[in-house]
Amino acid sequence: MSARTKARKRALDMLFQSDVRGEELSLVLAAEAQRAATEPAREASWLYAREIIDGVIDNRDAIDARIVDTAKDWSLARMPAVDRALLRIGTWEIVYNDDIPAAVAIDEAVELAKEYSTDESAPFVHGVLARIARGD
């Protein structure tokens, strides 16, 4: 598993934790930063996970608006928490990170949806992120 794949999983964990526990994402990030300082072997995945979370924090309103506009008839509240987190990660990578090809961002989000969410989540996540990548 690549460092970026591990980083996406770490970012998913932080976004999910913030969402379900109602904790401020910046506080979850700070706690994870303290933990990461004691795990130098995981530094490569930590750096990109932090970049993702910082990007989501900095662009949250725009990211959420893009998701809601693209996910026809789906509010964020109606989506499973894992799907919300994956869509936020994927949208940030597609829209704000020029180093990641859209196809890679979509594929990584879909694979995580298959592993951690419902049977319907992978096609849903794929559809929303593909439309965002096309600019629909």
Side-chain angles (χ1 to χ4, degrees):
M1 181 181 303
S2 77
R4 285 198 170 164
T5 298
K6 291 176 186 176
R8 288 179 186 95
K9 168 67 174 77
R10 288 179 87 163
L12 171 62
D13 291 344
M14 286 185 275
L15 285 164
F16 182 81
Q17 177 182 336
S18 171
D19 196 9
V20 296
R21 291 185 179 173
E23 296 175 356
E24 197 63 41
L25 187 53
S26 59
L27 297 176
V28 173
L29 179 62
E32 185 67 16
Q34 285 183 329
R35 188 173 136 217
T38 65
E39 300 174 343
R42 296 175 60 187
E43 182 177 4
S45 68
W46 162 245
L47 295 175
Y48 189 58
R50 185 180 65 201
E51 185 178 346
I52 293 168
I53 298 301
D54 284 339
V56 170
I57 290 170
D58 291 346
N59 302 288
R60 180 102 175 229
D61 292 341
I63 288 169
D64 285 355
R66 178 83 58 112
I67 292 167
V68 169
D69 290 346
T70 306
K72 307 290 186 216
D73 301 321
W74 280 83
S75 67
L76 286 173
R78 186 174 166 214
M79 296 174 194
V82 171
D83 296 2
R84 273 193 303 273
L86 291 172
L87 289 171
R88 287 173 173 145
I89 292 167
T91 301
W92 176 81
E93 286 190 311
I94 292 166
V95 176
Y96 298 98
N97 188 348
D98 294 334
D99 294 337
I100 304 296
V104 171
I106 294 167
D107 185 57
E108 291 278 341
V110 168
E111 289 306 311
L112 287 168
K114 287 177 184 176
E115 188 170 348
Y116 295 106
S117 199
T118 69
D119 290 340
E120 295 83 23
S121 292
F124 175 72
V125 167
H126 182 273
V128 172
L129 291 178
R131 285 191 298 275
I132 288 171
R134 287 192 308 263
D136 294 356

